[in-house]
Amino acid sequence: MEPVQIKPLRILLVEDEPLVAMAIEDSLEVQNVVVIGPAGTVAEAMDLIAKGGIDAALLDVTLRGERVDSVADALSSRNIPFVFTTGHGAAGLPTAHQDRPVLTKPFREAEMNDAIDQYFRGA
């Protein structure tokens, strides 16, 4: 019997720090994840969301000084699950999304993988 092929998870990566984005992308690619992006600005994130094909997102709270409230709203309106990645804690989250899960920066690869399994794969 052949192993069942699991469809890769398509995760939008919204992160404005290039080195952080590269590290996250490298970690995701070995976890059966297709990385969409990374998007370093709100406009880029909104364009990628509009194109569709996203299963979930990792969302930094501030991109080059701009808050991502509109990105969170767009993901929420499409029922796309997301986890915030921030060093500012829950107090810095958009008011409408205070109940969303948070990965506090700096986070370890294992913490990110656990969050993906828990919030995106339902494991």
Side-chain angles (χ1 to χ4, degrees):
M1 180 183 281
E2 291 186 31
V4 176
Q5 292 293 324
I6 299 172
K7 180 182 170 191
L9 192 61
R10 297 175 49 88
I11 295 181
L12 171 64
L13 176 57
V14 181
E15 173 60 58
D16 63 339
E17 294 293 333
L19 293 177
V20 173
M22 285 178 14
I24 293 172
E25 190 170 8
D26 288 347
S27 295
L28 290 174
E29 287 177 346
V30 298
Q31 298 298 323
N32 198 30
V33 169
V34 173
V35 176
I36 309 299
T41 66
V42 169
E44 289 173 356
M46 295 299 284
D47 286 344
L48 291 170
I49 292 168
K51 289 179 183 175
I54 297 168
D55 298 316
L58 293 173
L59 181 59
D60 192 0
V61 175
T62 307
L63 302 174
R64 299 182 184 152
E66 187 176 4
R67 290 187 47 88
V68 295
D69 299 42
S70 61
V71 177
D73 292 342
L75 291 166
S76 182
S77 72
R78 290 167 174 78
N79 294 315
I80 298 171
F82 58 94
V83 171
F84 286 111
T85 60
T86 181
H88 302 291
L93 300 181
T95 305
H97 302 284
Q98 293 280 320
D99 60 336
R100 297 286 180 167
V102 176
L103 273 171
T104 302
K105 291 180 179 178
F107 52 83
R108 297 186 319 254
E109 182 176 342
E111 293 170 317
M112 179 183 66
N113 293 338
D114 288 347
I116 289 168
D117 287 343
Q118 180 178 356
Y119 300 113
F120 303 157
R121 291 190 171 121

